[in-house]
PDB file of all heavy atoms in Angstrom:
ATOM      1  N   ALA A   1       0.807  -1.186   0.034  1.00  0.00           N
ATOM      2  CA  ALA A   1      -0.017   0.004  -0.004  1.00  0.00           C
ATOM      3  C   ALA A   1       0.874   1.286  -0.038  1.00  0.00           C
ATOM      4  O   ALA A   1       0.582   2.198  -0.734  1.00  0.00           O
ATOM      5  CB  ALA A   1      -0.934   0.012   1.179  1.00  0.00           C
ATOM      6  N   VAL A   2       1.897   1.267   0.863  1.00  0.00           N
ATOM      7  CA  VAL A   2       2.828   2.468   0.849  1.00  0.00           C
ATOM      8  C   VAL A   2       3.532   2.619  -0.423  1.00  0.00           C
ATOM      9  O   VAL A   2       3.626   3.714  -0.962  1.00  0.00           O
ATOM     10  CB  VAL A   2       3.835   2.270   2.028  1.00  0.00           C
ATOM     11  CG1 VAL A   2       4.922   3.339   1.939  1.00  0.00           C
ATOM     12  CG2 VAL A   2       3.174   2.286   3.355  1.00  0.00           C
ATOM     13  N   ARG A   3       3.973   1.473  -1.065  1.00  0.00           N
ATOM     14  CA  ARG A   3       4.647   1.602  -2.372  1.00  0.00           C
ATOM     15  C   ARG A   3       3.711   2.064  -3.470  1.00  0.00           C
ATOM     16  O   ARG A   3       4.094   2.888  -4.326  1.00  0.00           O
ATOM     17  CB  ARG A   3       5.241   0.222  -2.743  1.00  0.00           C
ATOM     18  CG  ARG A   3       6.021   0.255  -4.023  1.00  0.00           C
ATOM     19  CD  ARG A   3       6.794  -0.999  -4.251  1.00  0.00           C
ATOM     20  NE  ARG A   3       7.388  -0.961  -5.588  1.00  0.00           N
ATOM     21  CZ  ARG A   3       8.537  -0.297  -5.828  1.00  0.00           C
ATOM     22  NH1 ARG A   3       9.100   0.458  -4.901  1.00  0.00           N
ATOM     23  NH2 ARG A   3       9.057  -0.312  -7.039  1.00  0.00           N
ATOM     24  N   ASP A   4       2.437   1.649  -3.404  1.00  0.00           N
ATOM     25  CA  ASP A   4       1.507   2.068  -4.378  1.00  0.00           C
ATOM     26  C   ASP A   4       1.160   3.582  -4.238  1.00  0.00           C
ATOM     27  O   ASP A   4       0.950   4.238  -5.278  1.00  0.00           O
ATOM     28  CB  ASP A   4       0.154   1.332  -4.190  1.00  0.00           C
ATOM     29  CG  ASP A   4      -0.642   1.220  -5.476  1.00  0.00           C
ATOM     30  OD1 ASP A   4      -0.101   1.450  -6.584  1.00  0.00           O
ATOM     31  OD2 ASP A   4      -1.860   0.863  -5.406  1.00  0.00           O
ATOM     32  N   ILE A   5       1.153   4.093  -3.022  1.00  0.00           N
ATOM     33  CA  ILE A   5       0.957   5.525  -2.828  1.00  0.00           C
ATOM     34  C   ILE A   5       2.216   6.360  -3.409  1.00  0.00           C
ATOM     35  O   ILE A   5       2.020   7.309  -4.160  1.00  0.00           O
ATOM     36  CB  ILE A   5       0.863   5.919  -1.345  1.00  0.00           C
ATOM     37  CG1 ILE A   5      -0.492   5.349  -0.839  1.00  0.00           C
ATOM     38  CG2 ILE A   5       0.915   7.359  -1.108  1.00  0.00           C
ATOM     39  CD1 ILE A   5      -0.599   5.461   0.703  1.00  0.00           C
ATOM     40  N   LYS A   6       3.419   5.829  -3.114  1.00  0.00           N
ATOM     41  CA  LYS A   6       4.605   6.591  -3.493  1.00  0.00           C
ATOM     42  C   LYS A   6       4.925   6.511  -4.972  1.00  0.00           C
ATOM     43  O   LYS A   6       5.468   7.452  -5.571  1.00  0.00           O
ATOM     44  CB  LYS A   6       5.757   6.153  -2.634  1.00  0.00           C
ATOM     45  CG  LYS A   6       5.672   6.532  -1.162  1.00  0.00           C
ATOM     46  CD  LYS A   6       6.907   6.129  -0.429  1.00  0.00           C
ATOM     47  CE  LYS A   6       6.842   6.626   1.019  1.00  0.00           C
ATOM     48  NZ  LYS A   6       8.058   6.229   1.746  1.00  0.00           N
ATOM     49  N   THR A   7       4.767   5.259  -5.570  1.00  0.00           N
ATOM     50  CA  THR A   7       5.262   5.030  -6.911  1.00  0.00           C
ATOM     51  C   THR A   7       4.170   4.593  -7.916  1.00  0.00           C
ATOM     52  O   THR A   7       4.469   4.626  -9.130  1.00  0.00           O
ATOM     53  CB  THR A   7       6.323   3.953  -6.915  1.00  0.00           C
ATOM     54  OG1 THR A   7       5.813   2.730  -6.537  1.00  0.00           O
ATOM     55  CG2 THR A   7       7.437   4.304  -5.926  1.00  0.00           C
ATOM     56  N   ARG A   8       3.029   4.184  -7.415  1.00  0.00           N
ATOM     57  CA  ARG A   8       1.984   3.604  -8.263  1.00  0.00           C
ATOM     58  C   ARG A   8       2.543   2.382  -9.035  1.00  0.00           C
ATOM     59  O   ARG A   8       2.013   2.021 -10.119  1.00  0.00           O
ATOM     60  CB  ARG A   8       1.455   4.595  -9.294  1.00  0.00           C
ATOM     61  CG  ARG A   8       0.717   5.775  -8.684  1.00  0.00           C
ATOM     62  CD  ARG A   8      -0.495   5.323  -7.895  1.00  0.00           C
ATOM     63  NE  ARG A   8      -1.449   6.448  -7.681  1.00  0.00           N
ATOM     64  CZ  ARG A   8      -1.332   7.326  -6.702  1.00  0.00           C
ATOM     65  NH1 ARG A   8      -0.404   7.273  -5.816  1.00  0.00           N
ATOM     66  NH2 ARG A   8      -2.254   8.304  -6.677  1.00  0.00           N
ATOM     67  N   ARG A   9       3.580   1.773  -8.542  1.00  0.00           N
ATOM     68  CA  ARG A   9       4.132   0.593  -9.177  1.00  0.00           C
ATOM     69  C   ARG A   9       4.347  -0.527  -8.115  1.00  0.00           C
ATOM     70  O   ARG A   9       4.974  -0.289  -7.056  1.00  0.00           O
ATOM     71  CB  ARG A   9       5.518   0.921  -9.795  1.00  0.00           C
ATOM     72  CG  ARG A   9       5.534   2.055 -10.767  1.00  0.00           C
ATOM     73  CD  ARG A   9       4.755   1.750 -12.056  1.00  0.00           C
ATOM     74  NE  ARG A   9       4.924   2.793 -13.051  1.00  0.00           N
ATOM     75  CZ  ARG A   9       4.236   3.917 -13.120  1.00  0.00           C
ATOM     76  NH1 ARG A   9       3.335   4.176 -12.161  1.00  0.00           N
ATOM     77  NH2 ARG A   9       4.414   4.785 -14.063  1.00  0.00           N
ATOM     78  N   VAL A  10       3.870  -1.776  -8.406  1.00  0.00           N
ATOM     79  CA  VAL A  10       3.980  -2.841  -7.489  1.00  0.00           C
ATOM     80  C   VAL A  10       4.529  -4.026  -8.435  1.00  0.00           C
ATOM     81  O   VAL A  10       3.843  -4.425  -9.356  1.00  0.00           O
ATOM     82  CB  VAL A  10       2.707  -3.263  -6.800  1.00  0.00           C
ATOM     83  CG1 VAL A  10       2.927  -4.510  -5.945  1.00  0.00           C
ATOM     84  CG2 VAL A  10       2.184  -2.098  -5.907  1.00  0.00           C
ATOM     85  N   SER A  11       5.617  -4.624  -7.965  1.00  0.00           N
ATOM     86  CA  SER A  11       6.187  -5.681  -8.786  1.00  0.00           C
ATOM     87  C   SER A  11       5.301  -6.894  -8.718  1.00  0.00           C
ATOM     88  O   SER A  11       4.754  -7.267  -7.648  1.00  0.00           O
ATOM     89  CB  SER A  11       7.596  -6.040  -8.256  1.00  0.00           C
ATOM     90  OG  SER A  11       8.086  -7.218  -8.834  1.00  0.00           O
ATOM     91  N   SER A  12       5.170  -7.650  -9.815  1.00  0.00           N
ATOM     92  CA  SER A  12       4.358  -8.882  -9.805  1.00  0.00           C
ATOM     93  C   SER A  12       4.972  -9.944  -8.992  1.00  0.00           C
ATOM     94  O   SER A  12       4.283 -10.801  -8.530  1.00  0.00           O
ATOM     95  CB  SER A  12       4.313  -9.360 -11.263  1.00  0.00           C
ATOM     96  OG  SER A  12       3.544  -8.489 -12.112  1.00  0.00           O
ATOM     97  N   GLY A  13       6.313  -9.846  -8.717  1.00  0.00           N
ATOM     98  CA  GLY A  13       7.019 -10.833  -7.919  1.00  0.00           C
ATOM     99  C   GLY A  13       6.483 -10.894  -6.484  1.00  0.00           C
ATOM    100  O   GLY A  13       6.708 -11.934  -5.854  1.00  0.00           O
ATOM    101  N   VAL A  14       5.871  -9.775  -5.971  1.00  0.00           N
ATOM    102  CA  VAL A  14       5.449  -9.860  -4.620  1.00  0.00           C
ATOM    103  C   VAL A  14       4.244 -10.837  -4.440  1.00  0.00           C
ATOM    104  O   VAL A  14       3.999 -11.329  -3.288  1.00  0.00           O
ATOM    105  CB  VAL A  14       5.106  -8.394  -4.118  1.00  0.00           C
ATOM    106  CG1 VAL A  14       3.745  -7.975  -4.709  1.00  0.00           C
ATOM    107  CG2 VAL A  14       4.980  -8.320  -2.640  1.00  0.00           C
ATOM    108  N   TRP A  15       3.521 -11.069  -5.494  1.00  0.00           N
ATOM    109  CA  TRP A  15       2.265 -11.897  -5.342  1.00  0.00           C
ATOM    110  C   TRP A  15       2.524 -13.374  -5.386  1.00  0.00           C
ATOM    111  O   TRP A  15       1.749 -14.158  -4.916  1.00  0.00           O
ATOM    112  CB  TRP A  15       1.268 -11.529  -6.445  1.00  0.00           C
ATOM    113  CG  TRP A  15       0.936 -10.046  -6.481  1.00  0.00           C
ATOM    114  CD1 TRP A  15       1.242  -9.179  -7.555  1.00  0.00           C
ATOM    115  CD2 TRP A  15       0.449  -9.213  -5.447  1.00  0.00           C
ATOM    116  NE1 TRP A  15       0.837  -7.926  -7.276  1.00  0.00           N
ATOM    117  CE2 TRP A  15       0.316  -7.884  -5.948  1.00  0.00           C
ATOM    118  CE3 TRP A  15      -0.027  -9.422  -4.125  1.00  0.00           C
ATOM    119  CZ2 TRP A  15      -0.174  -6.855  -5.177  1.00  0.00           C
ATOM    120  CZ3 TRP A  15      -0.457  -8.379  -3.346  1.00  0.00           C
ATOM    121  CH2 TRP A  15      -0.602  -7.120  -3.886  1.00  0.00           C
ATOM    122  N   ILE A  16       3.636 -13.778  -6.039  1.00  0.00           N
ATOM    123  CA  ILE A  16       3.925 -15.187  -6.179  1.00  0.00           C
ATOM    124  C   ILE A  16       4.080 -15.899  -4.821  1.00  0.00           C
ATOM    125  O   ILE A  16       3.404 -16.955  -4.576  1.00  0.00           O
ATOM    126  CB  ILE A  16       5.167 -15.433  -7.111  1.00  0.00           C
ATOM    127  CG1 ILE A  16       4.829 -14.833  -8.506  1.00  0.00           C
ATOM    128  CG2 ILE A  16       5.498 -16.887  -7.165  1.00  0.00           C
ATOM    129  CD1 ILE A  16       6.026 -14.892  -9.472  1.00  0.00           C
ATOM    130  N   PRO A  17       4.919 -15.434  -3.909  1.00  0.00           N
ATOM    131  CA  PRO A  17       5.029 -16.115  -2.618  1.00  0.00           C
ATOM    132  C   PRO A  17       3.716 -16.183  -1.836  1.00  0.00           C
ATOM    133  O   PRO A  17       3.357 -17.199  -1.223  1.00  0.00           O
ATOM    134  CB  PRO A  17       6.105 -15.316  -1.896  1.00  0.00           C
ATOM    135  CG  PRO A  17       6.863 -14.543  -2.901  1.00  0.00           C
ATOM    136  CD  PRO A  17       5.883 -14.246  -3.927  1.00  0.00           C
ATOM    137  N   LEU A  18       2.962 -15.058  -1.900  1.00  0.00           N
ATOM    138  CA  LEU A  18       1.704 -15.024  -1.186  1.00  0.00           C
ATOM    139  C   LEU A  18       0.686 -15.979  -1.734  1.00  0.00           C
ATOM    140  O   LEU A  18      -0.062 -16.606  -1.034  1.00  0.00           O
ATOM    141  CB  LEU A  18       1.078 -13.581  -1.177  1.00  0.00           C
ATOM    142  CG  LEU A  18       1.759 -12.580  -0.245  1.00  0.00           C
ATOM    143  CD1 LEU A  18       1.105 -11.206  -0.370  1.00  0.00           C
ATOM    144  CD2 LEU A  18       1.798 -13.024   1.179  1.00  0.00           C
ATOM    145  N   ALA A  19       0.648 -16.065  -3.096  1.00  0.00           N
ATOM    146  CA  ALA A  19      -0.294 -16.962  -3.748  1.00  0.00           C
ATOM    147  C   ALA A  19       0.052 -18.412  -3.467  1.00  0.00           C
ATOM    148  O   ALA A  19      -0.732 -19.291  -3.227  1.00  0.00           O
ATOM    149  CB  ALA A  19      -0.275 -16.721  -5.310  1.00  0.00           C
ATOM    150  N   SER A  20       1.393 -18.692  -3.430  1.00  0.00           N
ATOM    151  CA  SER A  20       1.862 -20.018  -3.099  1.00  0.00           C
ATOM    152  C   SER A  20       1.494 -20.404  -1.660  1.00  0.00           C
ATOM    153  O   SER A  20       0.992 -21.507  -1.361  1.00  0.00           O
ATOM    154  CB  SER A  20       3.390 -20.146  -3.197  1.00  0.00           C
ATOM    155  OG  SER A  20       3.731 -19.900  -4.616  1.00  0.00           O
ATOM    156  N   LEU A  21       1.634 -19.424  -0.760  1.00  0.00           N
ATOM    157  CA  LEU A  21       1.329 -19.699   0.662  1.00  0.00           C
ATOM    158  C   LEU A  21      -0.168 -19.897   0.764  1.00  0.00           C
ATOM    159  O   LEU A  21      -0.667 -20.760   1.492  1.00  0.00           O
ATOM    160  CB  LEU A  21       1.748 -18.452   1.561  1.00  0.00           C
ATOM    161  CG  LEU A  21       1.295 -18.504   2.964  1.00  0.00           C
ATOM    162  CD1 LEU A  21       1.984 -19.718   3.713  1.00  0.00           C
ATOM    163  CD2 LEU A  21       1.673 -17.262   3.702  1.00  0.00           C
ATOM    164  N   GLY A  22      -0.970 -19.080   0.018  1.00  0.00           N
ATOM    165  CA  GLY A  22      -2.435 -19.202   0.049  1.00  0.00           C
ATOM    166  C   GLY A  22      -2.898 -20.572  -0.466  1.00  0.00           C
ATOM    167  O   GLY A  22      -3.764 -21.207   0.126  1.00  0.00           O
ATOM    168  N   GLY A  23      -2.265 -21.048  -1.539  1.00  0.00           N
ATOM    169  CA  GLY A  23      -2.645 -22.369  -2.071  1.00  0.00           C
ATOM    170  C   GLY A  23      -2.342 -23.488  -1.068  1.00  0.00           C
ATOM    171  O   GLY A  23      -3.148 -24.365  -0.892  1.00  0.00           O
ATOM    172  N   LEU A  24      -1.186 -23.380  -0.360  1.00  0.00           N
ATOM    173  CA  LEU A  24      -0.766 -24.412   0.582  1.00  0.00           C
ATOM    174  C   LEU A  24      -1.768 -24.384   1.764  1.00  0.00           C
ATOM    175  O   LEU A  24      -2.237 -25.459   2.224  1.00  0.00           O
ATOM    176  CB  LEU A  24       0.649 -24.115   1.052  1.00  0.00           C
ATOM    177  CG  LEU A  24       1.141 -24.991   2.194  1.00  0.00           C
ATOM    178  CD1 LEU A  24       1.284 -26.417   1.739  1.00  0.00           C
ATOM    179  CD2 LEU A  24       2.551 -24.444   2.760  1.00  0.00           C
ATOM    180  N   LEU A  25      -2.110 -23.216   2.290  1.00  0.00           N
ATOM    181  CA  LEU A  25      -2.977 -23.060   3.361  1.00  0.00           C
ATOM    182  C   LEU A  25      -4.415 -23.608   3.028  1.00  0.00           C
ATOM    183  O   LEU A  25      -5.138 -24.133   3.872  1.00  0.00           O
ATOM    184  CB  LEU A  25      -3.048 -21.676   3.967  1.00  0.00           C
ATOM    185  CG  LEU A  25      -1.702 -21.151   4.494  1.00  0.00           C
ATOM    186  CD1 LEU A  25      -1.836 -19.712   5.000  1.00  0.00           C
ATOM    187  CD2 LEU A  25      -1.190 -22.069   5.647  1.00  0.00           C
ATOM    188  N   LEU A  26      -4.844 -23.360   1.794  1.00  0.00           N
ATOM    189  CA  LEU A  26      -6.183 -23.825   1.375  1.00  0.00           C
ATOM    190  C   LEU A  26      -6.208 -25.297   1.387  1.00  0.00           C
ATOM    191  O   LEU A  26      -7.187 -25.880   1.876  1.00  0.00           O
ATOM    192  CB  LEU A  26      -6.350 -23.271  -0.075  1.00  0.00           C
ATOM    193  CG  LEU A  26      -7.732 -23.733  -0.724  1.00  0.00           C
ATOM    194  CD1 LEU A  26      -8.874 -23.076   0.040  1.00  0.00           C
ATOM    195  CD2 LEU A  26      -7.761 -23.287  -2.200  1.00  0.00           C
ATOM    196  N   VAL A  27      -5.196 -25.981   0.920  1.00  0.00           N
ATOM    197  CA  VAL A  27      -5.149 -27.459   1.009  1.00  0.00           C
ATOM    198  C   VAL A  27      -5.115 -27.886   2.422  1.00  0.00           C
ATOM    199  O   VAL A  27      -5.770 -28.896   2.822  1.00  0.00           O
ATOM    200  CB  VAL A  27      -3.889 -27.989   0.224  1.00  0.00           C
ATOM    201  CG1 VAL A  27      -3.787 -29.450   0.425  1.00  0.00           C
ATOM    202  CG2 VAL A  27      -4.018 -27.616  -1.267  1.00  0.00           C
ATOM    203  N   TRP A  28      -4.350 -27.275   3.279  1.00  0.00           N
ATOM    204  CA  TRP A  28      -4.255 -27.568   4.691  1.00  0.00           C
ATOM    205  C   TRP A  28      -5.591 -27.459   5.345  1.00  0.00           C
ATOM    206  O   TRP A  28      -6.026 -28.364   6.038  1.00  0.00           O
ATOM    207  CB  TRP A  28      -3.216 -26.724   5.306  1.00  0.00           C
ATOM    208  CG  TRP A  28      -2.790 -27.057   6.741  1.00  0.00           C
ATOM    209  CD1 TRP A  28      -3.350 -28.047   7.546  1.00  0.00           C
ATOM    210  CD2 TRP A  28      -1.652 -26.495   7.473  1.00  0.00           C
ATOM    211  NE1 TRP A  28      -2.745 -28.043   8.762  1.00  0.00           N
ATOM    212  CE2 TRP A  28      -1.710 -27.151   8.757  1.00  0.00           C
ATOM    213  CE3 TRP A  28      -0.767 -25.558   7.208  1.00  0.00           C
ATOM    214  CZ2 TRP A  28      -0.701 -26.843   9.725  1.00  0.00           C
ATOM    215  CZ3 TRP A  28       0.174 -25.262   8.143  1.00  0.00           C
ATOM    216  CH2 TRP A  28       0.194 -25.895   9.426  1.00  0.00           C
ATOM    217  N   ASP A  29      -6.252 -26.353   5.155  1.00  0.00           N
ATOM    218  CA  ASP A  29      -7.600 -26.191   5.651  1.00  0.00           C
ATOM    219  C   ASP A  29      -8.608 -27.200   5.190  1.00  0.00           C
ATOM    220  O   ASP A  29      -9.449 -27.686   5.973  1.00  0.00           O
ATOM    221  CB  ASP A  29      -8.138 -24.765   5.333  1.00  0.00           C
ATOM    222  CG  ASP A  29      -7.623 -23.677   6.343  1.00  0.00           C
ATOM    223  OD1 ASP A  29      -7.173 -24.098   7.364  1.00  0.00           O
ATOM    224  OD2 ASP A  29      -7.778 -22.501   6.028  1.00  0.00           O
ATOM    225  N   GLY A  30      -8.479 -27.553   3.847  1.00  0.00           N
ATOM    226  CA  GLY A  30      -9.406 -28.538   3.354  1.00  0.00           C
ATOM    227  C   GLY A  30      -9.189 -29.903   3.999  1.00  0.00           C
ATOM    228  O   GLY A  30     -10.149 -30.673   4.269  1.00  0.00           O
ATOM    229  N   TRP A  31      -7.946 -30.274   4.211  1.00  0.00           N
ATOM    230  CA  TRP A  31      -7.576 -31.527   4.870  1.00  0.00           C
ATOM    231  C   TRP A  31      -8.173 -31.565   6.300  1.00  0.00           C
ATOM    232  O   TRP A  31      -8.716 -32.540   6.727  1.00  0.00           O
ATOM    233  CB  TRP A  31      -6.099 -31.726   4.830  1.00  0.00           C
ATOM    234  CG  TRP A  31      -5.630 -32.957   5.524  1.00  0.00           C
ATOM    235  CD1 TRP A  31      -5.743 -34.244   5.113  1.00  0.00           C
ATOM    236  CD2 TRP A  31      -5.065 -33.031   6.827  1.00  0.00           C
ATOM    237  NE1 TRP A  31      -5.182 -35.125   6.112  1.00  0.00           N
ATOM    238  CE2 TRP A  31      -4.777 -34.416   7.119  1.00  0.00           C
ATOM    239  CE3 TRP A  31      -4.684 -32.052   7.780  1.00  0.00           C
ATOM    240  CZ2 TRP A  31      -4.112 -34.825   8.337  1.00  0.00           C
ATOM    241  CZ3 TRP A  31      -4.073 -32.461   8.985  1.00  0.00           C
ATOM    242  CH2 TRP A  31      -3.801 -33.836   9.251  1.00  0.00           C
ATOM    243  N   ARG A  32      -8.008 -30.418   7.058  1.00  0.00           N
ATOM    244  CA  ARG A  32      -8.484 -30.367   8.420  1.00  0.00           C
ATOM    245  C   ARG A  32      -9.970 -30.474   8.478  1.00  0.00           C
ATOM    246  O   ARG A  32     -10.593 -31.166   9.327  1.00  0.00           O
ATOM    247  CB  ARG A  32      -7.969 -29.098   9.088  1.00  0.00           C
ATOM    248  CG  ARG A  32      -6.473 -29.080   9.282  1.00  0.00           C
ATOM    249  CD  ARG A  32      -6.022 -27.701   9.829  1.00  0.00           C
ATOM    250  NE  ARG A  32      -6.609 -27.393  11.078  1.00  0.00           N
ATOM    251  CZ  ARG A  32      -7.273 -26.321  11.419  1.00  0.00           C
ATOM    252  NH1 ARG A  32      -7.578 -25.447  10.436  1.00  0.00           N
ATOM    253  NH2 ARG A  32      -7.660 -26.110  12.648  1.00  0.00           N
TER     254      ARG A  32
END
């Protein structure tokens, strides 16, 4: 959010680790 205010630019690379974590947690929650 801070970077978007200052530069209006957000690297696509920031979403890959979060998406991977989200996918892993989704499977974990489904298993539980």
Side-chain angles (χ1 to χ4, degrees):
V2 171
R3 182 168 177 79
D4 206 16
I5 291 173
K6 291 183 176 180
T7 70
R8 294 300 199 274
R9 305 292 188 277
V10 177
S11 171
S12 296
V14 74
W15 307 120
I16 296 174
L18 286 180
S20 301
L21 176 62
L24 175 64
L25 296 179
L26 179 66
V27 173
W28 191 349
D29 274 346
W31 176 77
R32 292 172 66 237

